[in-house]
Amino acid sequence: FAQLLGYISTKVIATRLFLQKDKIDTAKTQLAQLEEATQKMFVDVREAILGLKMSTDCCIDFLAQVREYTKEFSRLSNLPVSIEVDSSSINSILPGEVELQLLRIVQEALTNARKHAEATSVTIHLNYTDETLTLSVHDNGIGINIRQSSSATRPKFGMDIMKERAVSIGATLSIKTRPEVDGTTVIVTVPLGAFPE
């Protein structure tokens, strides 16, 4: 948010200077860019508020939380998200911290799809077995060139955060991507045997 606010402040100053010099067309261009930036920030702020709200409600019903979050996320971002579940019955077998970290991973993956992937749809897939829970988030965007991503870029930073969250709950996280071909899939596998029933 601080970076975007700095960008907006710079655009406001530039627009004022162009108006003082009667460069109306250039000022209009600056205003259009300013409008786009503020709209993006509005979505970012609303998404952040939604994420904070969901964390306070978490651990009541994980699937219900994912459904509620994705419904609101789609409404705010105009990015359709579908949910597929392979098990006909889902038991509440995950500790609260595990559910919270999984929800945060979903949030980060959706944010990356919205902000960086140029995706037009996202699918979340949950597969429960006796031994594991596998959660995947697949977008149909442009993919990520992981080798070329510097540590300073947002997608790489987001991937590192997701991996740290997965490790903190004893899960594994992998990212499958083919730039310009097949979008990106984030896959989290949680071993259920580690948790008491």
Side-chain angles (χ1 to χ4, degrees), residues 1 16 36 42 51 66 79 110 119 127 129-130 135 137 142 149 163 174 181 184 186 195:
F1 294 146
R16 181 167 41 82
E36 181 182 355
F42 175 76
V66 172
L79 178 58
L110 290 176
N127 181 24
T129 69
D130 291 338
L135 165 71
V137 182
I142 60 174
S149 293
K163 287 179 180 176
S174 61
V181 176
T184 301
V186 175
F195 311 120

PDB file of all heavy atoms in Angstrom, residues 1 16 36 42 51 66 79 110 119 127 129-130 135 137 142 149 163 174 181 184 186 195:
ATOM      1  N   PHE A   1       0.822  -1.201   0.000  1.00  0.00           N
ATOM      2  CA  PHE A   1       0.000   0.000   0.000  1.00  0.00           C
ATOM      3  C   PHE A   1       0.866   1.266   0.000  1.00  0.00           C
ATOM      4  O   PHE A   1       0.561   2.241  -0.662  1.00  0.00           O
ATOM      5  CB  PHE A   1      -0.936   0.022   1.209  1.00  0.00           C
ATOM      6  CG  PHE A   1      -1.973  -1.057   1.178  1.00  0.00           C
ATOM      7  CD1 PHE A   1      -2.417  -1.647   2.348  1.00  0.00           C
ATOM      8  CD2 PHE A   1      -2.505  -1.509  -0.020  1.00  0.00           C
ATOM      9  CE1 PHE A   1      -3.380  -2.653   2.326  1.00  0.00           C
ATOM     10  CE2 PHE A   1      -3.462  -2.512  -0.059  1.00  0.00           C
ATOM     11  CZ  PHE A   1      -3.905  -3.079   1.121  1.00  0.00           C
ATOM     12  N   ARG A  16      -0.586  18.269 -11.382  1.00  0.00           N
ATOM     13  CA  ARG A  16      -0.640  19.694 -11.018  1.00  0.00           C
ATOM     14  C   ARG A  16       0.366  20.509 -11.839  1.00  0.00           C
ATOM     15  O   ARG A  16       0.033  21.582 -12.358  1.00  0.00           O
ATOM     16  CB  ARG A  16      -0.370  19.859  -9.527  1.00  0.00           C
ATOM     17  CG  ARG A  16      -0.422  21.306  -9.067  1.00  0.00           C
ATOM     18  CD  ARG A  16      -0.471  21.454  -7.544  1.00  0.00           C
ATOM     19  NE  ARG A  16       0.395  20.538  -6.847  1.00  0.00           N
ATOM     20  CZ  ARG A  16       1.714  20.733  -6.652  1.00  0.00           C
ATOM     21  NH1 ARG A  16       2.295  21.815  -7.143  1.00  0.00           N
ATOM     22  NH2 ARG A  16       2.421  19.861  -5.970  1.00  0.00           N
ATOM     23  N   GLU A  36      -6.780   4.676 -12.573  1.00  0.00           N
ATOM     24  CA  GLU A  36      -6.526   3.239 -12.621  1.00  0.00           C
ATOM     25  C   GLU A  36      -5.821   2.765 -11.347  1.00  0.00           C
ATOM     26  O   GLU A  36      -6.177   1.730 -10.779  1.00  0.00           O
ATOM     27  CB  GLU A  36      -5.678   2.902 -13.845  1.00  0.00           C
ATOM     28  CG  GLU A  36      -5.376   1.424 -13.988  1.00  0.00           C
ATOM     29  CD  GLU A  36      -4.492   1.121 -15.191  1.00  0.00           C
ATOM     30  OE1 GLU A  36      -4.191   2.035 -15.972  1.00  0.00           O
ATOM     31  OE2 GLU A  36      -4.079  -0.046 -15.333  1.00  0.00           O
ATOM     32  N   PHE A  42      -8.167   0.336  -4.309  1.00  0.00           N
ATOM     33  CA  PHE A  42      -9.449   0.071  -3.673  1.00  0.00           C
ATOM     34  C   PHE A  42      -9.693  -1.434  -3.567  1.00  0.00           C
ATOM     35  O   PHE A  42     -10.068  -1.943  -2.512  1.00  0.00           O
ATOM     36  CB  PHE A  42     -10.584   0.732  -4.463  1.00  0.00           C
ATOM     37  CG  PHE A  42     -11.951   0.401  -3.945  1.00  0.00           C
ATOM     38  CD1 PHE A  42     -12.444   0.996  -2.799  1.00  0.00           C
ATOM     39  CD2 PHE A  42     -12.740  -0.535  -4.603  1.00  0.00           C
ATOM     40  CE1 PHE A  42     -13.699   0.673  -2.303  1.00  0.00           C
ATOM     41  CE2 PHE A  42     -13.992  -0.865  -4.127  1.00  0.00           C
ATOM     42  CZ  PHE A  42     -14.481  -0.263  -2.976  1.00  0.00           C
ATOM     43  N   GLY A  51      -9.636 -10.518   3.933  1.00  0.00           N
ATOM     44  CA  GLY A  51      -8.723 -11.515   4.473  1.00  0.00           C
ATOM     45  C   GLY A  51      -8.636 -11.457   5.984  1.00  0.00           C
ATOM     46  O   GLY A  51      -8.622 -12.484   6.666  1.00  0.00           O
ATOM     47  N   VAL A  66     -13.665 -21.188   2.752  1.00  0.00           N
ATOM     48  CA  VAL A  66     -13.116 -21.042   1.401  1.00  0.00           C
ATOM     49  C   VAL A  66     -14.209 -20.568   0.447  1.00  0.00           C
ATOM     50  O   VAL A  66     -13.993 -19.665  -0.368  1.00  0.00           O
ATOM     51  CB  VAL A  66     -12.482 -22.365   0.913  1.00  0.00           C
ATOM     52  CG1 VAL A  66     -12.092 -22.262  -0.560  1.00  0.00           C
ATOM     53  CG2 VAL A  66     -11.268 -22.722   1.760  1.00  0.00           C
ATOM     54  N   LEU A  79     -13.101 -11.715 -10.954  1.00  0.00           N
ATOM     55  CA  LEU A  79     -12.356 -12.897 -11.391  1.00  0.00           C
ATOM     56  C   LEU A  79     -13.104 -14.132 -10.901  1.00  0.00           C
ATOM     57  O   LEU A  79     -13.152 -14.397  -9.702  1.00  0.00           O
ATOM     58  CB  LEU A  79     -10.936 -12.874 -10.818  1.00  0.00           C
ATOM     59  CG  LEU A  79     -10.026 -14.068 -11.150  1.00  0.00           C
ATOM     60  CD1 LEU A  79      -9.862 -14.234 -12.661  1.00  0.00           C
ATOM     61  CD2 LEU A  79      -8.672 -13.893 -10.478  1.00  0.00           C
ATOM     62  N   LEU A 110      -4.844 -16.523  -4.935  1.00  0.00           N
ATOM     63  CA  LEU A 110      -5.854 -15.752  -5.652  1.00  0.00           C
ATOM     64  C   LEU A 110      -5.377 -14.323  -5.923  1.00  0.00           C
ATOM     65  O   LEU A 110      -5.616 -13.771  -7.006  1.00  0.00           O
ATOM     66  CB  LEU A 110      -7.165 -15.733  -4.859  1.00  0.00           C
ATOM     67  CG  LEU A 110      -7.922 -17.054  -4.792  1.00  0.00           C
ATOM     68  CD1 LEU A 110      -9.146 -16.923  -3.895  1.00  0.00           C
ATOM     69  CD2 LEU A 110      -8.334 -17.532  -6.172  1.00  0.00           C
ATOM     70  N   ALA A 119      -5.173 -13.639 -15.279  1.00  0.00           N
ATOM     71  CA  ALA A 119      -6.084 -14.787 -15.384  1.00  0.00           C
ATOM     72  C   ALA A 119      -7.518 -14.308 -15.601  1.00  0.00           C
ATOM     73  O   ALA A 119      -7.906 -13.214 -15.185  1.00  0.00           O
ATOM     74  CB  ALA A 119      -6.007 -15.644 -14.124  1.00  0.00           C
ATOM     75  N   ASN A 127      -9.064 -32.353  -2.410  1.00  0.00           N
ATOM     76  CA  ASN A 127      -9.158 -33.809  -2.466  1.00  0.00           C
ATOM     77  C   ASN A 127      -8.788 -34.382  -1.103  1.00  0.00           C
ATOM     78  O   ASN A 127      -7.641 -34.262  -0.659  1.00  0.00           O
ATOM     79  CB  ASN A 127      -8.225 -34.355  -3.553  1.00  0.00           C
ATOM     80  CG  ASN A 127      -8.305 -35.869  -3.660  1.00  0.00           C
ATOM     81  OD1 ASN A 127      -9.302 -36.468  -3.287  1.00  0.00           O
ATOM     82  ND2 ASN A 127      -7.247 -36.478  -4.143  1.00  0.00           N
ATOM     83  N   THR A 129      -8.412 -37.670   1.318  1.00  0.00           N
ATOM     84  CA  THR A 129      -8.330 -39.126   1.461  1.00  0.00           C
ATOM     85  C   THR A 129      -8.096 -39.405   2.938  1.00  0.00           C
ATOM     86  O   THR A 129      -8.019 -38.484   3.759  1.00  0.00           O
ATOM     87  CB  THR A 129      -7.167 -39.719   0.635  1.00  0.00           C
ATOM     88  OG1 THR A 129      -5.924 -39.313   1.223  1.00  0.00           O
ATOM     89  CG2 THR A 129      -7.217 -39.268  -0.817  1.00  0.00           C
ATOM     90  N   ASP A 130      -7.957 -40.691   3.286  1.00  0.00           N
ATOM     91  CA  ASP A 130      -7.673 -41.019   4.681  1.00  0.00           C
ATOM     92  C   ASP A 130      -6.311 -40.504   5.113  1.00  0.00           C
ATOM     93  O   ASP A 130      -6.088 -40.208   6.285  1.00  0.00           O
ATOM     94  CB  ASP A 130      -7.726 -42.540   4.900  1.00  0.00           C
ATOM     95  CG  ASP A 130      -9.150 -43.076   4.777  1.00  0.00           C
ATOM     96  OD1 ASP A 130     -10.097 -42.273   4.947  1.00  0.00           O
ATOM     97  OD2 ASP A 130      -9.296 -44.278   4.511  1.00  0.00           O
ATOM     98  N   LEU A 135      -4.817 -29.613  -1.651  1.00  0.00           N
ATOM     99  CA  LEU A 135      -5.469 -28.377  -2.048  1.00  0.00           C
ATOM    100  C   LEU A 135      -4.700 -27.816  -3.235  1.00  0.00           C
ATOM    101  O   LEU A 135      -3.482 -27.670  -3.177  1.00  0.00           O
ATOM    102  CB  LEU A 135      -5.429 -27.377  -0.886  1.00  0.00           C
ATOM    103  CG  LEU A 135      -5.729 -25.915  -1.205  1.00  0.00           C
ATOM    104  CD1 LEU A 135      -7.199 -25.728  -1.533  1.00  0.00           C
ATOM    105  CD2 LEU A 135      -5.325 -25.021  -0.036  1.00  0.00           C
ATOM    106  N   VAL A 137      -4.770 -24.689  -6.352  1.00  0.00           N
ATOM    107  CA  VAL A 137      -5.355 -23.461  -6.887  1.00  0.00           C
ATOM    108  C   VAL A 137      -4.756 -23.251  -8.268  1.00  0.00           C
ATOM    109  O   VAL A 137      -3.551 -23.029  -8.403  1.00  0.00           O
ATOM    110  CB  VAL A 137      -5.059 -22.245  -5.981  1.00  0.00           C
ATOM    111  CG1 VAL A 137      -5.734 -20.994  -6.540  1.00  0.00           C
ATOM    112  CG2 VAL A 137      -5.492 -22.500  -4.547  1.00  0.00           C
ATOM    113  N   ILE A 142      -0.972 -16.198 -17.428  1.00  0.00           N
ATOM    114  CA  ILE A 142       0.215 -16.236 -18.279  1.00  0.00           C
ATOM    115  C   ILE A 142       1.342 -17.078 -17.696  1.00  0.00           C
ATOM    116  O   ILE A 142       2.365 -17.285 -18.345  1.00  0.00           O
ATOM    117  CB  ILE A 142       0.745 -14.817 -18.555  1.00  0.00           C
ATOM    118  CG1 ILE A 142       1.126 -14.108 -17.242  1.00  0.00           C
ATOM    119  CG2 ILE A 142      -0.283 -14.015 -19.332  1.00  0.00           C
ATOM    120  CD1 ILE A 142       1.787 -12.761 -17.437  1.00  0.00           C
ATOM    121  N   SER A 149      12.338 -14.945 -12.047  1.00  0.00           N
ATOM    122  CA  SER A 149      11.771 -14.089 -11.005  1.00  0.00           C
ATOM    123  C   SER A 149      12.853 -13.725 -10.005  1.00  0.00           C
ATOM    124  O   SER A 149      13.490 -14.595  -9.438  1.00  0.00           O
ATOM    125  CB  SER A 149      10.626 -14.809 -10.276  1.00  0.00           C
ATOM    126  OG  SER A 149       9.536 -14.995 -11.140  1.00  0.00           O
ATOM    127  N   LYS A 163       5.121 -21.026   0.701  1.00  0.00           N
ATOM    128  CA  LYS A 163       5.940 -22.183   1.090  1.00  0.00           C
ATOM    129  C   LYS A 163       6.207 -22.187   2.585  1.00  0.00           C
ATOM    130  O   LYS A 163       6.157 -23.241   3.236  1.00  0.00           O
ATOM    131  CB  LYS A 163       7.251 -22.181   0.298  1.00  0.00           C
ATOM    132  CG  LYS A 163       7.056 -22.570  -1.160  1.00  0.00           C
ATOM    133  CD  LYS A 163       8.358 -22.540  -1.942  1.00  0.00           C
ATOM    134  CE  LYS A 163       8.108 -22.934  -3.395  1.00  0.00           C
ATOM    135  NZ  LYS A 163       9.312 -22.846  -4.229  1.00  0.00           N
ATOM    136  N   SER A 174       4.025 -27.163  -3.835  1.00  0.00           N
ATOM    137  CA  SER A 174       4.722 -27.117  -5.118  1.00  0.00           C
ATOM    138  C   SER A 174       3.965 -26.192  -6.060  1.00  0.00           C
ATOM    139  O   SER A 174       2.766 -25.959  -5.893  1.00  0.00           O
ATOM    140  CB  SER A 174       4.844 -28.519  -5.725  1.00  0.00           C
ATOM    141  OG  SER A 174       3.562 -29.070  -5.961  1.00  0.00           O
ATOM    142  N   VAL A 181       1.551 -20.807 -21.564  1.00  0.00           N
ATOM    143  CA  VAL A 181       0.926 -22.035 -22.052  1.00  0.00           C
ATOM    144  C   VAL A 181      -0.264 -22.445 -21.199  1.00  0.00           C
ATOM    145  O   VAL A 181      -1.365 -22.625 -21.692  1.00  0.00           O
ATOM    146  CB  VAL A 181       1.952 -23.200 -22.092  1.00  0.00           C
ATOM    147  CG1 VAL A 181       1.280 -24.501 -22.500  1.00  0.00           C
ATOM    148  CG2 VAL A 181       3.090 -22.873 -23.044  1.00  0.00           C
ATOM    149  N   THR A 184      -0.848 -21.259 -13.919  1.00  0.00           N
ATOM    150  CA  THR A 184      -0.083 -21.657 -12.735  1.00  0.00           C
ATOM    151  C   THR A 184      -0.976 -22.458 -11.802  1.00  0.00           C
ATOM    152  O   THR A 184      -2.146 -22.125 -11.617  1.00  0.00           O
ATOM    153  CB  THR A 184       0.451 -20.411 -11.998  1.00  0.00           C
ATOM    154  OG1 THR A 184       1.282 -19.664 -12.887  1.00  0.00           O
ATOM    155  CG2 THR A 184       1.250 -20.794 -10.761  1.00  0.00           C
ATOM    156  N   VAL A 186      -0.876 -23.957  -7.842  1.00  0.00           N
ATOM    157  CA  VAL A 186      -0.259 -24.076  -6.523  1.00  0.00           C
ATOM    158  C   VAL A 186      -0.871 -25.309  -5.866  1.00  0.00           C
ATOM    159  O   VAL A 186      -2.098 -25.420  -5.763  1.00  0.00           O
ATOM    160  CB  VAL A 186      -0.530 -22.828  -5.661  1.00  0.00           C
ATOM    161  CG1 VAL A 186       0.014 -23.015  -4.247  1.00  0.00           C
ATOM    162  CG2 VAL A 186       0.055 -21.587  -6.318  1.00  0.00           C
ATOM    163  N   PHE A 195      -2.338 -35.429  12.631  1.00  0.00           N
ATOM    164  CA  PHE A 195      -3.288 -34.756  13.491  1.00  0.00           C
ATOM    165  C   PHE A 195      -4.208 -35.766  14.156  1.00  0.00           C
ATOM    166  O   PHE A 195      -4.699 -36.688  13.505  1.00  0.00           O
ATOM    167  CB  PHE A 195      -4.144 -33.751  12.688  1.00  0.00           C
ATOM    168  CG  PHE A 195      -3.302 -32.857  11.816  1.00  0.00           C
ATOM    169  CD1 PHE A 195      -3.480 -32.847  10.442  1.00  0.00           C
ATOM    170  CD2 PHE A 195      -2.330 -32.038  12.372  1.00  0.00           C
ATOM    171  CE1 PHE A 195      -2.706 -32.026   9.645  1.00  0.00           C
ATOM    172  CE2 PHE A 195      -1.558 -31.232  11.565  1.00  0.00           C
ATOM    173  CZ  PHE A 195      -1.745 -31.217  10.209  1.00  0.00           C
TER     174      PHE A 195
END
